[in-house]
């Protein structure tokens, strides 16, 4: 595009007459002659700086080309308009808008794809057409997906770095990225999905009017984290959906709470995991789910959990509320592992040392498996323990640092001296009291 040209002549009347004349010419079948006349007048009005008339002429050229049902003619007309020397941005924008408005009415998919390709090539590299290019790319991806080429559709949609578009609204950016995430998940490209998810600032999802997008985002994150078997992240995603103030029925919110609790319990023990299940235990809506409240209480209380009893009481509940329990045996295995780890933490809290046989008996496991589970927790630095196999003992008390021992001894001596001083004072007082009698 050239520099702004000062308007030197008004082509409004000639434009009105040309539009009327060319419509009559096209009706008689003289499309080529009509377009030649319009292009000549468009050149003159552009050179004269009458861009209002130029815009009208460009729009009329595109409409006449569309009416001819010849997509090649439409593409040629668009390219001629946009490649003109010194063409104004608003003229190009107007011509592109007319073509885009006609896209839904084109039934032939191949012709629609050809026009989309032309429009995308025109919009490429032009900031003032970045929204149009993003919209066209999304439409192209939808058509490609409808033909069964999901991977290609995902690749096409990822061409747009939507976060860099300065003229797009934040809400539209989030919706666009969510569509990119959906396609990458459908094409099993979970690495790309993880990268795309980082582009969305979760704080933005807390704004008014973003609730539906927030729910869509966290549902997609559930799929991603399920593939990665990141149970604590699955629980957090369900928790975020549960905490979204949407006009949803209570039954759906209850289901999200159940799923958050289930995956919270399946998560490895940590401060975050303990905080999450404790929040649900204190939630006012938990009273409507007495079974889940009792389940949370089991894992929050420092008492041994019986796996056979837990499986008998909650097995059907888990399979009903989380159908993946029936199809994925690893979830049941993982739940039992969490019960074992909980019991080990309980034992380490009550015992400084315990025999290996009694330890295995409390865990309801063979001795070899009990030692293996304990070793895993020690390796992960979740607790301290040492096994003395010749003596058949397990020690849970960690050796103290020499400085800690010295500090404890100093503190004990200080406390002892304080008690002696106090005792001497009391004895002295009693002696004085008795001597005055």
């Amino acid at each position: 595009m050239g520099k702004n040209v000062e308007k030197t002549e008004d082509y409004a009347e000639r434009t009105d007459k040309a539009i009327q004349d060319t419509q009559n010419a096209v009706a008689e079948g003289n499309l080529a002659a009509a377009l030649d006349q319009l292009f000549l007048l468009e050149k003159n009005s552009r050179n004269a700086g009458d861009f209002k008339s130029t815009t009208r002429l460009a729009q009329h050229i595109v409409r006449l080309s569309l009416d001819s049902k010849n997509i090649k003619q439409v593409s040629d007309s668009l390219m001629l308009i946009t490649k003109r020397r010194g063409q104004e941005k608003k003229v190009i924008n107007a011509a592109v808008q007319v073509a885009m408005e006609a896209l839904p009415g084109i039934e032939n998919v191949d012709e629609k794809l050809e026009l989309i390709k032309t429009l995308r090539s025109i919009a490429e590299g032009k900031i003032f057409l970045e929204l149009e290019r993003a919209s066209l790319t999304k439409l192209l991806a939808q058509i490609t997906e409808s033909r069964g080429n999901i991977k290609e559709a995902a690749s096409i949609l990822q061409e747009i770095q939507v976060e860099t578009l300065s003229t797009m609204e934040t809400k539209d950016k989030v919706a666009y990225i969510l569509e990119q995430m959906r396609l990458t998940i459908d094409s099993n490209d979970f690495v790309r999905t993880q990268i795309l998810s980082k582009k969305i600032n979760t704080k933005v999802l807390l704004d008014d009017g973003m609730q539906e997008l927030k729910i869509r985002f966290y549902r997609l994150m559930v799929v991603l984290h399920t593939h990665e078997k990141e149970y604590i992240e699955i629980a957090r995603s369900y928790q975020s959906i549960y905490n979204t103030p949407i006009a949803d029925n209570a039954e759906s919110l209850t289901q999200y709470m159940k799923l958050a609790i289930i995956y919270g319990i399946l998560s490895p023990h940590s401060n975050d995991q303990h905080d999450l299940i404790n929040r649900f235990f204190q939630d006012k809506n938990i009273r409507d789910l007495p079974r889940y409240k009792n389940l949370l209480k089991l894992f929050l209380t420092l008492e041994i959990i019986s796996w056979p009893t837990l499986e008998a009481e909650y097995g059907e509940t888990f399979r009903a509320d989380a159908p993946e329990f029936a199809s994925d045996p690893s979830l049941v295995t993982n739940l039992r592992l969490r019960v074992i780890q909980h019991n080990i933490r309980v034992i380490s809290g009550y015992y400084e040392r315990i025999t290996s046989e009694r330890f295995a008996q409390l865990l309801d496991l063979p001795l070899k498996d009990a030692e293996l589970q304990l070793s895993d927790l020690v390796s992960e630095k979740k607790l301290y323990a040492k096994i003395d196999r010749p003596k058949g003992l397990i020690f849970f008390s960690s050796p103290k640092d020499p400085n800690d021992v010295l500090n404890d001894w100093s503190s004990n001596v200080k406390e002892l001296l304080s008690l002696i001083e106090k005792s001497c004072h009391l004895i002295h007082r009693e002696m004085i009291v008795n001597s005055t009698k």
Side-chain angles (χ1 to χ4, degrees):
M1 273 58 72
K3 298 179 180 180
N4 291 332
V5 179
E6 186 179 349
K7 184 175 179 180
T8 58
E9 194 172 353
D10 191 345
Y11 275 76
E13 292 184 6
R14 277 171 280 189
T15 298
D16 291 337
K17 185 176 183 302
I19 290 175
Q20 184 62 46
D21 292 344
T22 52
Q23 285 177 338
N24 296 332
V26 170
E28 296 173 359
N30 297 323
L31 176 63
L35 290 177
D36 288 342
Q37 179 184 349
L38 290 170
F39 274 117
L40 179 60
L41 187 58
E42 183 272 336
K43 176 183 177 182
N44 294 333
S45 66
R46 173 167 39 86
N47 291 334
D50 186 0
F51 292 109
K52 184 176 181 180
S53 296
T54 307
T55 300
R56 291 178 59 202
L57 289 167
Q59 290 175 320
H60 188 59
I61 290 170
V62 176
R63 289 194 183 100
L64 289 181
S65 301
L66 287 167
D67 291 342
S68 70
K69 307 297 182 183
N70 186 339
I71 296 301
K72 186 177 186 308
Q73 179 62 60
V74 178
S75 299
D76 291 344
S77 297
L78 283 167
M79 295 302 293
L80 280 172
I81 292 170
T82 57
K83 296 296 183 182
R84 293 281 195 174
R85 181 177 64 85
Q87 193 64 278
E88 275 288 295
K89 296 178 182 178
K90 59 183 179 181
V91 177
I92 298 174
N93 201 324
V96 169
Q97 291 296 336
V98 171
M100 288 184 65
E101 290 170 2
L103 281 172
I106 301 175
E107 296 180 357
N108 187 300
V109 178
D110 291 331
E111 291 182 351
K112 183 182 288 190
L113 287 174
E114 183 180 347
L115 182 54
I116 290 173
K117 182 179 178 181
T118 300
L119 291 171
R120 289 182 73 228
S121 66
I122 291 171
E124 186 175 4
K126 296 180 176 67
I127 296 177
F128 63 93
L129 288 176
E130 61 183 9
L131 291 182
E132 286 75 10
R133 179 171 171 78
S135 178
L136 289 165
T137 303
K138 187 175 182 179
L139 180 58
L140 178 59
Q142 290 172 348
I143 295 173
T144 306
E145 183 186 12
S146 67
R147 290 183 163 185
N149 300 324
I150 298 177
K151 287 188 177 181
E152 184 181 350
S155 178
I156 290 171
L157 200 61
Q158 288 174 60
E159 292 177 9
I160 304 298
Q161 303 297 322
V162 70
E163 68 278 6
T164 65
L165 304 186
S166 58
T167 56
M168 183 178 282
E169 296 291 334
T170 301
K171 187 174 182 179
D172 295 332
K173 287 183 181 181
V174 172
Y176 207 98
I177 294 173
L178 290 178
E179 185 65 13
Q180 291 176 327
M181 289 176 61
R182 183 189 67 80
L183 283 173
T184 52
I185 287 175
D186 290 345
S187 60
N188 294 321
D189 189 356
F190 293 99
V191 174
R192 184 68 61 181
T193 306
Q194 182 74 38
I195 295 171
L196 289 169
S197 68
K198 300 294 184 183
K199 295 182 179 182
I200 296 179
N201 185 350
T202 53
K203 292 182 180 179
V204 173
L205 300 176
L206 301 176
D207 297 341
D208 295 336
M210 301 288 284
Q211 284 80 11
E212 291 185 6
L213 294 178
K214 177 183 176 183
I215 291 173
R216 282 179 57 194
F217 172 73
Y218 282 111
R219 282 176 176 167
L220 291 172
M221 294 305 292
V222 166
V223 178
L224 172 63
H225 295 311
T226 299
H227 177 266
E228 302 295 333
K229 296 189 181 298
E230 297 172 338
Y231 299 120
I232 187 63
E233 298 300 333
I234 298 174
R236 284 174 178 162
S237 296
Y238 280 126
Q239 183 187 30
S240 297
I241 298 175
Y242 170 75
N243 291 330
T244 303
I246 57 173
D248 206 347
N249 57 61
E251 190 173 328
S252 296
L253 292 177
T254 299
Q255 180 63 20
Y256 291 133
M257 175 184 268
K258 290 177 180 178
L259 291 169
I261 291 172
I262 290 172
Y263 282 99
I265 289 171
L266 285 172
S267 306
H269 178 75
S270 65
N271 291 335
D272 291 340
Q273 184 263 358
H274 186 271
D275 177 70
L276 186 142
I277 62 175
N278 192 58
R279 284 178 183 272
F280 278 108
F281 185 71
Q282 296 176 0
D283 193 289
K284 62 181 181 180
N285 293 325
I286 196 67
R287 63 175 179 267
D288 298 327
L289 301 171
R291 289 182 63 78
Y292 280 88
K293 184 175 182 179
N294 292 333
L295 176 65
L296 289 172
K297 188 176 181 180
L298 285 175
F299 282 90
L300 290 171
T301 306
L302 291 178
E303 294 181 1
I304 296 291
I305 299 175
S306 171
W307 167 250
T309 304
L310 181 72
E311 187 178 26
E313 291 185 3
Y314 290 95
E316 289 301 322
T317 302
F318 286 160
R319 283 185 282 272
D321 294 333
E324 51 268 32
F325 261 83
S327 58
D328 189 357
S330 66
L331 293 177
V332 180
T333 303
N334 192 72
L335 178 60
R336 188 179 184 192
L337 177 62
R338 300 298 170 240
V339 171
I340 293 170
Q341 291 176 346
H342 169 82
N343 291 341
I344 292 175
R345 288 195 302 274
V346 172
I347 294 170
S348 67
Y350 284 108
Y351 289 88
E352 288 190 359
R353 66 177 181 175
I354 187 174
T355 63
S356 300
E357 290 79 6
R358 178 59 176 163
F359 179 71
Q361 181 186 4
L362 290 173
L363 294 180
D364 194 21
L365 287 174
L367 179 59
K368 184 176 180 181
D369 292 343
E371 290 183 350
L372 180 62
Q373 295 299 333
L374 177 62
S375 299
D376 288 343
L377 287 178
V378 172
S379 298
E380 295 170 5
K381 297 184 178 180
K382 295 294 180 66
L383 54 82
Y384 175 87
K386 277 192 175 182
I387 301 174
D388 188 341
R389 280 184 173 168
K391 294 182 179 179
L393 293 174
I394 299 174
F395 298 89
F396 291 107
S397 57
S398 59
K400 293 184 178 180
D401 183 84
N403 291 327
D404 293 335
V405 174
L406 184 60
N407 289 335
D408 290 343
W409 178 84
S410 176
S411 177
N412 291 337
V413 169
K414 185 177 180 180
E415 185 178 356
L416 176 62
L417 293 174
S418 178
L419 289 173
I420 292 174
E421 183 179 2
K422 186 176 180 180
S423 299
C424 291
H425 175 71
L426 292 174
I427 292 171
H428 182 66
R429 189 184 68 177
E430 289 297 322
M431 290 177 64
I432 293 174
V433 170
N434 289 330
S435 66
T436 57
K437 292 181 179 180

